[in-house]
């Protein structure tokens, strides 16, 4: 009886060893024998492409380009609107540009120290269609005027304007928002001018087409 029990235990242990795998094996994974593992050459892996590494490392431009607005007002005054007498101090009249219009010398609450005169022109509907801001003092240093021109040009870059007939000239510029309806044109110059009742060494003119 004792012999039968020993035989039974031996058979049982043999079956258990034949069913168990090595630790870490996965179901269905092929296990290579040691001699096969050393016979095969290691598989060459594809190298990392670093040809564009400089481009990848360059900082990304996260600047957001906002849409530009039309220039609809300047010096406290909307174009093609009645004279804003709440914000403008009318100090006199000037020579009108059209027969059925008027011209007013004004002092805006928002003004620039680049100018000492502001002329606002109205049409027959009393709408401001043109503004001329100018300085009638003698021009001393053209380089200072170039700086003014540059400053105004930078300011207008915030609006939907393009340079009309661009020229390499640091003493004047002409901008427009055409082909918009009732397009606006802006003229700025450091050249001495004399027309109607205006004598100017530096001016900016705004004309709203109607």
């Amino acid at each position: 009886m004792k012999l039968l029990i020993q035989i039974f235990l031996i058979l049982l242990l043999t079956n258990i060893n034949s069913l168990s795998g090595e630790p870490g094996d996965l179901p269905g994974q092929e296990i290579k024998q040691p001699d096969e593992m050393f016979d095969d050459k290691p598989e060459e892996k594809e190298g990392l492409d670093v040809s564009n590494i400089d481009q990848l490392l360059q900082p990304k431009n996260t600047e957001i380009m906002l849409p530009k607005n039309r220039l609809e007002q300047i010096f406290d005054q909307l174009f093609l609107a009645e004279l804003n007498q709440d914000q403008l101090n009318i100090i006199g009249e000037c020579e009108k540009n059209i027969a059925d219009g008027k011209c007013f010398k004004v002092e805006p609450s928002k003004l620039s120290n680049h100018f000492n005169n502001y002329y606002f022109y109205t049409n027959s509907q009393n709408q401001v269609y043109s503004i001329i801001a100018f300085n009638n003092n003698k021009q001393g240093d053209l380089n200072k005027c170039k700086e003014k021109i540059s400053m105004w040009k930078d300011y207008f870059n915030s609006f939907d304007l393009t340079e009309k007939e661009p020229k390499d000239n640091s003493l004047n510029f002409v901008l427009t928002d055409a082909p918009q309806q009732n397009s606006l044109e802006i003229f700025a110059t450091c050249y001495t001018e004399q027309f109607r009742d205006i004598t100017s060494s530096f001016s900016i003119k705004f004309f709203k087409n109607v």
Side-chain angles (χ1 to χ4, degrees):
M1 185 69 175
K2 186 174 181 180
L3 180 62
L4 289 174
I5 294 174
Q6 290 177 346
I7 295 172
F8 178 76
L9 290 176
I10 292 171
L11 292 173
L12 181 62
L13 291 173
T14 303
N15 289 333
I16 292 175
N17 287 335
S18 63
L19 293 174
S20 63
E22 292 186 8
D25 292 348
L26 298 176
Q29 180 177 343
E30 183 180 354
I31 304 301
K32 291 185 177 181
Q33 298 298 324
D35 55 342
E36 295 176 346
M37 293 177 65
F38 289 103
D39 287 341
D40 293 339
K41 293 182 179 180
E43 183 180 353
E44 292 183 4
K45 294 185 178 180
E46 185 179 352
L48 179 64
D49 183 8
V50 295
S51 59
N52 62 343
I53 192 67
D54 291 338
Q55 182 179 356
L56 293 173
L57 293 176
Q58 288 179 358
K60 301 298 182 183
N61 183 9
T62 57
E63 183 179 356
I64 300 174
M65 299 298 293
L66 297 176
K68 294 184 177 182
N69 298 321
R70 291 191 73 185
L71 181 64
E72 297 181 343
Q73 63 178 332
I74 194 80
F75 304 129
D76 293 325
Q77 178 62 49
L78 282 164
F79 293 106
L80 298 184
E82 291 191 1
L83 204 65
N84 183 7
Q85 298 190 43
D86 293 333
Q87 298 292 328
L88 301 171
N89 179 27
I90 299 176
I91 57 178
E93 291 193 9
C94 40
E95 187 177 338
K96 60 186 180 181
N97 193 19
I98 54 179
D100 53 353
K102 292 183 179 179
C103 178
F104 298 93
K105 296 179 181 180
V106 303
E107 186 180 57
S109 60
K110 293 182 180 179
L111 44 77
S112 168
N113 59 10
H114 292 168
F115 311 108
N116 58 7
N117 287 278
Y118 300 84
Y119 285 11
F120 286 28
Y121 297 84
T122 59
N123 56 21
S124 57
Q125 287 79 42
N126 295 320
Q127 299 170 328
V128 176
Y129 72 94
S130 179
I131 296 174
I132 299 179
F134 64 97
N135 193 318
N136 59 7
N137 292 329
K138 187 176 180 181
Q139 191 77 256
D141 187 354
L142 275 180
N143 288 324
K144 291 183 179 179
C145 196
K146 287 180 182 179
E147 293 176 4
K148 295 175 186 178
I149 286 284
S150 179
M151 290 170 65
W152 280 98
K153 204 168 185 180
D154 287 344
Y155 170 76
F156 291 130
N157 279 337
S158 301
F159 298 95
D160 186 15
L161 297 163
T162 57
E163 194 161 4
K164 189 176 182 180
E165 299 177 3
K167 298 178 181 178
D168 186 15
N169 193 330
S170 58
L171 293 176
N172 62 6
F173 62 78
V174 183
L175 305 176
T176 181
D177 65 0
Q180 297 275 10
Q181 186 178 9
N182 302 127
S183 60
L184 176 69
E185 294 195 353
I186 304 171
F187 305 82
T189 182
C190 286
Y191 296 116
T192 300
E193 295 180 302
Q194 200 161 12
F195 53 98
R196 294 194 302 276
D197 56 342
I198 294 175
T199 300
S200 171
S201 62
F202 175 57
S203 66
I204 290 185
K205 311 176 190 70
F206 304 85
F207 293 99
K208 191 75 170 176
N209 295 312
V210 293

